[in-house]
Amino acid sequence: MSTSERLIDATRELLWERGYVGTSPKAILERADAGQGSMYHHFKGKPDLALAAIRRTAAEMRTAVAGVLDGPGTPYERIEAYLRRERDVLRGCPVGRLTMDPDIVASEELRAPVEETLGWVRQRIAAIVEEGKEQGHFAPGLDGAEIATAVLATVQGGYVLARACGDPAAFDAGVRGLLSLLAPHNSPSA
């Protein structure tokens, strides 16, 4: 792995663990096992390196989410697969956690890939809900954008609840609750 790749990977991990302020150039260099001047040789500085790391994290998240949402199954099954996909729940979402970092949120440039990625997930889920409505899997009155927002809020909020109590069961309970609300219901026979 090249030095610039090691720097990006180290920064990604540190941003996830410590946030922007807690990610010092010294910590990045130590984690990447890189020499003193290597960061400035490959990047303009910490903001430039952080942007590369955030973009990489966002791209990986999109790839993972697309792999599930574009997979086989009914619209409900694909949303269920997204909600139940393997995650390190107690670490939180590597993209969603960035929204809690005041330095990232304050920077349009650093916030942009976070905002774009979460927006992309919402749009993709909204399209699946609309597809499900057309196929009769979901009630016709559902609003795809609102359901997509609820799905994303359940995931991000589930991370927060699980971290707060130190137990992934809180995340799982939120997922089960949302899925029970979304589950296609058969109308009672007369």
Side-chain angles (χ1 to χ4, degrees):
M1 185 183 296
S2 71
T3 301
S4 64
E5 290 299 311
R6 289 196 326 267
L7 289 166
I8 290 170
D9 281 350
T11 304
R12 290 177 61 207
E13 285 296 315
L14 288 165
L15 286 172
W16 195 3
E17 292 168 16
R18 304 178 183 181
Y20 186 80
V21 171
T23 301
S24 68
K26 180 180 178 184
I28 294 168
L29 293 172
E30 286 176 3
R31 179 77 58 102
D33 193 27
Q36 185 85 10
S38 61
M39 184 166 99
Y40 298 99
H41 173 73
H42 295 284
F43 301 94
K44 295 175 193 165
K46 179 180 165 183
D48 188 43
L49 177 54
L51 181 59
I54 293 168
R55 284 180 176 156
R56 175 82 50 83
T57 298
E60 284 187 9
M61 180 176 165
R62 283 183 186 207
T63 299
V65 169
V68 175
L69 293 178
D70 296 339
T74 66
Y76 175 86
E77 290 167 343
R78 288 183 286 154
I79 291 172
E80 178 182 31
Y82 166 72
L83 287 166
R84 294 187 188 271
R85 77 183 181 93
E86 189 173 329
R87 296 172 164 86
D88 190 349
V89 173
L90 295 179
R91 277 190 86 191
C93 175
V95 173
R97 284 195 59 185
L98 297 172
T99 65
M100 302 305 289
D101 191 309
D103 292 292
I104 290 175
V105 172
S107 166
E108 276 188 48
E109 189 174 35
L110 295 177
R111 186 182 68 245
V114 173
E115 186 177 346
E116 290 165 7
T117 299
L118 294 176
W120 177 86
V121 173
R122 277 196 325 264
Q123 289 173 351
R124 188 66 195 105
I125 293 171
I128 292 170
V129 171
E130 294 302 323
E131 176 186 333
K133 286 169 44 179
E134 290 170 11
Q135 296 174 2
H137 295 287
F138 293 126
L142 290 181
D143 181 295
E146 289 178 358
I147 298 301
T149 299
V151 168
L152 196 56
T154 298
V155 169
Q156 295 302 319
Y159 284 125
V160 171
L161 293 173
R163 286 176 56 87
C165 64
D167 187 355
F171 181 95
D172 297 336
V175 166
R176 284 192 309 274
L178 180 60
L179 287 171
S180 70
L181 294 172
L182 288 177
H185 294 27
N186 295 327
S187 58
S189 52

